[in-house]
Amino acid sequence: MTVIYNRVALIGLGHIASSMFWGIKRAGLAGEITGYARSAETREIARDIGLCDRVCDSAAEAVEDADLVVLCVPVGAMGAVAAEVAPAMKPGATVTDVGSVKRHVIDTVGPHLPQGVHFIPAHPLAGTEHSGPRSGFAELFDNRWCLIVPVEGSDPDAIDRVVRLWQGLGSNVDQMDADHHDLVLAVTSHAPHLIAYTMVGVADDLRRVTDSEVIKYSAAGFRDFTRIAASDPTMWRDVFLSNKDATLEILGRFTEELFALQRAIRTGDGAHLHEYFTRTRAIRRGIIEAGQDTDAPNFGRGAAR
Ligand code: NAP
């Protein structure tokens, strides 16, 4: 048990905040953890389930005397929440966040923070399609990456403590520049989510024609799309609106490739299709060889039905 911060304040009490709470408790990384969410309903649930040592009725009360304040709200709400907590923060404290987009958070949160308060943005690459205060669990961050995105001139000690917090939560930690982070995430997470949303939308249209066959005969591939497309609508609306440029860049490339494959199918260009699928298969092999995923069929989840 190594206490890294005497007092941590979690602002927003959803999936990520509740997982952080249980994870911090598991490893004994903080003395006291306070929490605040905007709705009385969420605060009530938090009190009921013992989420946070103390649930406060205002953000200002929650951050008073906190050594670390973690902003755990949708990306589009980060700026307003930072404005709310900033005047109540003690000098020398650190603000971090868990937002899925970094440039927008840095631009909207940074200006509200007073001199003497450190700002160390972060993004845990972990989460499920569930949301809300009941959905968190201590193991969520185990063996997952957490990307720390320090702003220019950040205090090395403040960075080091945030790094140790995430390591204590079970994560592997890397540091990255904000714009690079947003491009990498557009490729690995944001664009794939949009594609899943689209595919489920298309199948939903089709279902009207084919009755319930789309669900009845749904193979694992499509089922995985429906799981991704069940993610929180507010969170994902904010991700796309705040990572506009990188997402549009990747979707532009995606559309070009899709058109090329479409043409190959129409013209019967089997060589093009075979060559393309051979290249993508090699990428999958590379991921397994790098130890970043399992070689077990269907990701080790048993036979696909
Ligand atoms: P969540 O479970 O939906 O919880 C969101 C929390 O933010 C709730 O406590 C909610 O309060 C509060 N909130 C929502 N809108 C707000 C607003 N306009 N002003 C103030 N508070 C507001 O969300 P989450 O999955 O924990 O996501 C939180 C952050 O983590 C997001 O920035 C997201 O990008 C990032 N993230 C998510 C994942 C993931 O897979 N879920 C992974 C990595 C990072 P009420 O309950 O009172 O409404």
Side-chain angles (χ1 to χ4, degrees), residues 11-81:
I11 306 299
L13 293 173
H15 186 52
I16 298 298
S18 54
S19 298
M20 286 186 76
F21 173 76
W22 300 117
I24 290 172
K25 284 287 164 195
R26 178 184 69 172
L29 305 171
E32 189 195 28
I33 304 175
T34 58
Y36 169 75
R38 62 178 177 168
S39 72
E41 190 191 347
T42 298
R43 297 198 298 271
E44 197 57 39
I45 294 171
R47 287 185 181 111
D48 269 2
I49 63 174
L51 170 61
C52 293
D53 299 318
R54 193 155 51 84
V55 177
C56 303
D57 286 320
S58 76
E61 190 190 338
V63 305
E64 202 186 336
D65 268 336
D67 305 288
L68 178 73
V69 173
V70 192
L71 307 180
C72 305
V73 298
V75 170
M78 292 279 183
V81 169

Side-chain angles (χ1 to χ4, degrees), residues 149 190 199 213 240 301:
V149 181
H190 306 167
M199 200 55 230
E213 285 178 338
F240 293 119
R301 289 182 303 198

